[in-house]
Amino acid sequence: MRLTCSVNGEHREVDGLDGEESLLFTLRERMGLPGAKNACEQGECGSCTVYLDGTAVCACLVAAGQAEGREVVTVEGLADGEDLHPVQEAFLEAGAVQCGFCTPGLVVAVHDLLARTPEPDDAAIREALAGNLCRCTGYEKIIDAVRLAASGAEAR
């Protein structure tokens, strides 16, 4: 099976897909995009969150064939070349990155939140992050990063 789609603004074609293969596997193993992480494979942890046609999804739950002709944006695609996206900058500035395993999914979730709600309150932040599990933190630094990104005060 062949997959043809746009990934991070670039036309991509992948041959030899297995019909059971997840979009996450295809992104990581066939396209060389390791940003989305493989943790639970059940859509419970959020580590594999990507955009599919502008909607945040768990890539482990999407069959690769479902991305045919569609647009995928991964955490790598949020940056502008060497310039990190302001959400990525805020995570660094706030010290919200520890082991880094949950970080890509959290960054995409925060990016999605701020696109919908530019000035979220703490309740909205917590609700938006509810689908992302982090085993290293108490989430306070992550919430600080969201506030920082929302305020536009992230490091340049």
Side-chain angles (χ1 to χ4, degrees):
M1 180 170 132
R2 169 179 273 186
L3 170 64
T4 303
C5 62
S6 170
V7 180
N8 299 330
E10 181 181 321
H11 176 79
R12 301 292 295 262
E13 290 184 7
V14 179
D15 286 317
L17 265 66
D18 176 336
E20 305 272 322
E21 191 170 307
S22 71
L23 178 58
L24 176 62
F25 181 87
T26 302
L27 290 169
R28 290 181 57 79
E29 305 302 326
R30 296 186 186 270
M31 294 185 184
L33 295 168
K37 303 298 185 215
N38 185 5
C40 73
E41 295 184 356
Q42 298 175 16
E44 297 290 327
C45 72
S47 293
C48 66
T49 304
V50 299
Y51 284 111
L52 182 60
D53 286 342
T55 300
V57 299
C58 290
C60 71
L61 297 180
V62 176
Q66 289 179 283
E68 177 65 31
R70 298 174 78 182
E71 181 180 346
V72 178
V73 177
T74 68
V75 69
E76 293 97 339
L78 297 181
D80 183 13
E82 295 294 317
D83 296 327
L84 295 178
H85 186 277
V87 172
Q88 294 166 316
E89 288 282 354
F91 267 70
L92 291 173
E93 180 72 18
V97 178
Q98 288 195 15
C99 84
F101 208 81
C102 67
T103 306
L106 282 164
V107 166
V108 174
V110 170
H111 181 273
D112 185 55
L113 167 65
L114 296 179
R116 291 180 288 108
T117 309
E119 297 179 18
D121 60 18
D122 284 359
I125 293 169
R126 289 180 190 281
E127 182 177 335
L129 300 183
N132 296 80
L133 301 178
C134 176
R135 293 180 176 102
C136 296
T137 72
Y139 295 93
E140 284 309 311
K141 294 290 184 186
I142 295 166
I143 293 169
D144 289 346
V146 180
R147 290 181 192 128
L148 188 60
S151 74
E154 65 282 333
R156 300 286 174 218

